[in-house]
Amino acid sequence: MSNVNQNSWFEKGMSFAAYKESMNVNKEELSRVYDQLTFTDDDQAFFGDLSQRNWKGVVLTADWCGDASLCVPVIQRMTEESNIELRFLIRDENLELMDQYLTNGTARAIPIFIFLDQDGYEARVWGPRSPEVQEMITTARAGLPAADAPDFEEKQKELYRNFKQKISTDPAIWRTVIESVKAKLQG
């Protein structure tokens, strides 16, 4: 947990509408998830409780990121229901902040959602994936040929293409993100 005030990063970030407008790669997938996502009554009760915290958030992301095409619209919708404003920063343009939130201490994995309390201090951090999505990609990668195999690059591109298609069309996967985020924010 960072004891550094993050309000300046929030102020620097763009709105969801501006981020979406800037997209060139995964806009269709992001829009599909955003438009088709539904919430349960339990979700709505959780969002009502969460809205009492007066939080806001900073998101480190990038248009090319398949995980972002899943997580950004799910969490954007969750925060809309919770009266939490998110601001979006492009990872490679904000490495000073990104390097404070490395996955496993080494990877600039995105998206990263930094939830800030009403004073601008970090309250919770979530990302880049739900445990279930991480398990899916770990299992899929295990089936790839060796990195030096002649067909590795082709098989890897196919894996990521299929993965992106699945995560942007399967509501059961969207639900894993909702539940993972709720668990993180509950504390």
Side-chain angles (χ1 to χ4, degrees):
M1 186 114 48
S2 171
N3 61 355
V4 176
N5 189 291
Q6 305 289 15
N7 276 331
S8 63
W9 292 107
F10 178 83
E11 295 302 327
K12 181 181 177 185
M14 63 185 122
S15 69
F16 177 67
Y19 171 67
K20 189 174 170 185
E21 186 60 36
S22 76
M23 294 179 76
N24 298 309
V25 181
N26 286 315
K27 190 176 197 171
E28 181 182 327
E29 291 82 358
L30 178 137
S31 297
R32 177 186 315 117
V33 174
Y34 183 90
D35 293 341
Q36 294 178 8
L37 185 67
T38 59
F39 295 119
T40 66
D41 290 343
D42 284 346
D43 295 336
Q44 295 295 348
F46 178 83
F47 302 147
D49 291 344
L50 191 56
S51 69
Q52 304 304 306
R53 296 186 191 175
N54 298 314
W55 283 3
K56 56 190 169 194
V58 176
V59 183
L60 288 159
T61 190
D63 182 19
W64 50 260
C65 176
D67 287 307
S69 69
L70 162 65
C71 300
V72 165
V74 170
I75 298 171
Q76 174 65 29
R77 286 280 313 282
M78 291 176 75
T79 59
E80 287 171 3
E81 296 291 325
S82 303
N83 203 26
I84 295 173
E85 183 182 356
L86 296 180
R87 296 282 183 87
F88 296 82
L89 296 170
I90 304 305
R91 180 193 76 177
D92 293 345
E93 297 169 9
N94 297 279
L95 295 178
E96 181 185 339
L97 181 62
M98 178 72 245
D99 287 348
Q100 296 174 43
Y101 295 96
L102 300 176
T103 300
N104 300 323
T106 59
R108 289 178 173 158
I110 52 174
I112 297 292
F113 295 80
I114 307 159
F115 293 92
L116 306 175
D117 67 20
Q118 60 195 13
D119 298 318
Y121 292 93
E122 177 188 307
R124 303 281 187 287
V125 177
W126 187 92
R129 297 181 173 124
S130 70
E132 295 83 356
V133 173
Q134 182 60 51
E135 181 58 34
M136 281 174 51
I137 196 66
T138 300
T139 301
R141 284 182 187 148
L144 285 173
D148 60 357
D151 62 344
F152 173 78
E153 197 171 309
E154 174 192 331
K155 295 286 187 194
Q156 185 180 43
K157 283 181 183 169
E158 180 183 343
L159 179 148
Y160 285 116
R161 194 170 39 251
N162 292 339
F163 179 72
K164 184 171 87 169
Q165 198 277 330
K166 181 160 182 57
I167 66 174
S168 68
T169 58
D170 186 346
I173 293 171
W174 308 347
R175 171 63 33 200
T176 73
V177 175
I178 294 168
E179 293 302 330
S180 177
V181 172
K182 283 171 57 178
K184 176 62 85 167
L185 298 183
Q186 221 139 26

